[in-house]
Amino acid sequence: MDEEYQRLPPPLQGEIFQVKPDTGTGVVVLGGSSGRVDVARARLFASQGATVIALRWFGGEGQVPGICEVPLETFFAATDYLVELGCTRVVLVGTSKGAEAALLAAVYDPRISAVVALSPSSVVWGNIGPGLDGISWPERSSWTLRGTPLPFVSSDPEWVGEYRDGLVAYRGLFERCLQVHEFEIDAAAIPLERTIAEILLVAGCDDALWPSDKFAASLVRRRADFGLSTQLVLGKDAGHRILLPGETTSRSSLRAHGGSDEADAKLGRLAWGHIVDML
């Protein structure tokens, strides 16, 4: 297939990859809290005949510098553009906080046909970094919809850090927050039963950053209560970083992610078969 890529038109930020001939499927790739515009992953999806947007959704010009009250309309606008290009099927692919965003977008945008959520959350969390006003604390929601912040599960400033291989492992923090702020969970839960989009959840049981395996299981149960099926792919020894075919990652980080390159890649290969079927 012939591939072309170009910058996205304002106000969208990132890059778009178009292939000829195309399959009519549009994909939006959302990175996590690193803020990376995942061009390599976008190319992988473009190789399957999709028109793919590698979206910058925070940290860019005019955007919030952190994941703080990011408008969900940012993701709706990416869908708008794919529809304008003639895509008849739109798939969101998100990792970690990007997965949180992708699942929420599917709840509120019926044009989204499917979501691939890698290392997902089942609830909305607070901000990571400041908003446009530069204020990081007090804590605020990661997301807004029509200008209104979404309810979220609060953090716990009393949490004492846990370490793994010399790096902070935040899984215990998120598990503690769910216990300490249990009364906030219902309002903050991602209401995934409100979408009929296909949902594929991929998580590593050795995720040291947050309990994505437990989050994924919670989402499956929630949808099952409403008679909706959900695909779930778990990796027993995989961590937070899930490597799709051909992907590599640097192990240098200030946070523990768990897993290993081998286990993370094994889960990625297993998930890729399901992803291709979904595309």
Side-chain angles (χ1 to χ4, degrees):
M1 293 184 178
D2 295 327
E3 177 191 295
E4 299 178 356
Y5 80 92
Q6 56 189 350
R7 297 289 182 184
L8 288 165
L12 295 172
Q13 297 185 37
E15 297 188 7
I16 182 167
F17 296 80
Q18 294 179 277
V19 294
K20 297 178 181 180
D22 67 78
T23 60
T25 295
V27 175
V28 183
V29 173
L30 307 175
S33 58
S34 70
R36 181 176 70 249
V37 178
D38 205 336
V39 171
R41 181 164 288 178
R43 286 186 180 276
L44 177 62
F45 279 86
S47 72
Q48 299 300 306
T51 296
V52 188
I53 291 175
L55 189 69
R56 182 184 299 282
W57 50 275
F58 76 97
E61 184 177 354
Q63 296 178 330
V64 288
I67 306 177
C68 181
E69 297 188 342
V70 176
L72 291 182
E73 287 82 1
T74 304
F75 312 107
F76 304 160
T79 297
D80 289 341
Y81 190 56
L82 289 173
V83 171
E84 289 175 9
L85 292 176
C87 295
T88 57
R89 179 174 171 81
V90 176
V91 181
L92 267 56
V93 179
T95 296
S96 192
K97 287 298 287 187
E100 189 179 321
L103 293 169
L104 285 166
V107 168
Y108 297 107
D109 189 342
R111 300 171 301 172
I112 295 171
S113 303
V115 174
V116 178
L118 309 172
S119 303
S121 173
S122 59
V123 300
V124 171
W125 293 97
N127 59 297
I128 299 176
L132 288 173
D133 54 11
I135 299 173
S136 296
W137 197 265
E139 195 174 20
R140 290 173 285 178
S141 180
S142 292
W143 320 105
T144 65
L145 178 65
R146 294 186 288 274
T148 301
L150 298 187
F152 64 96
V153 176
S154 303
S155 186
D156 179 14
E158 303 299 322
W159 179 73
V160 177
E162 301 170 3
Y163 290 84
R164 178 168 169 174
D165 299 326
L167 300 173
V168 180
Y170 285 95
R171 182 182 180 111
L173 169 62
F174 289 99
E175 291 175 333
R176 176 173 169 79
C177 291
L178 292 175
Q179 295 174 347
V180 173
H181 304 296
E182 183 179 4
F183 63 94
E184 295 177 344
I185 292 176
D186 285 347
I190 298 174
L192 207 54
E193 71 278 1
R194 297 184 188 176
T195 178
I196 59 172
E198 293 181 67
I199 305 294
L200 172 61
L201 308 173
V202 186
C205 298
D206 192 40
D207 189 336
L209 197 147
W210 68 9
S212 59
D213 53 329
K214 293 183 179 179
F215 290 151
S218 176
L219 289 169
V220 170
R221 289 193 298 270
R222 185 181 185 100
R223 281 173 59 86
D225 288 344
F226 289 85
L228 298 170
S229 62
T230 310
Q231 295 186 71
L232 173 61
V233 181
L234 294 174
K236 178 181 177 182
D237 300 316
H240 191 75
R241 292 168 167 157
I242 298 167
L243 302 177
L244 299 180
E247 294 182 341
T248 59
T249 186
S250 169
R251 303 306 291 183
S252 61
S253 175
L254 298 177
R255 300 173 294 180
H257 289 79
S260 66
D261 287 349
E262 295 76 14
D264 299 348
K266 180 180 179 181
L267 176 57
R269 290 192 299 271
L270 179 61
W272 184 243
H274 294 272
I275 292 170
V276 171
D277 289 342
M278 177 176 282
L279 293 177

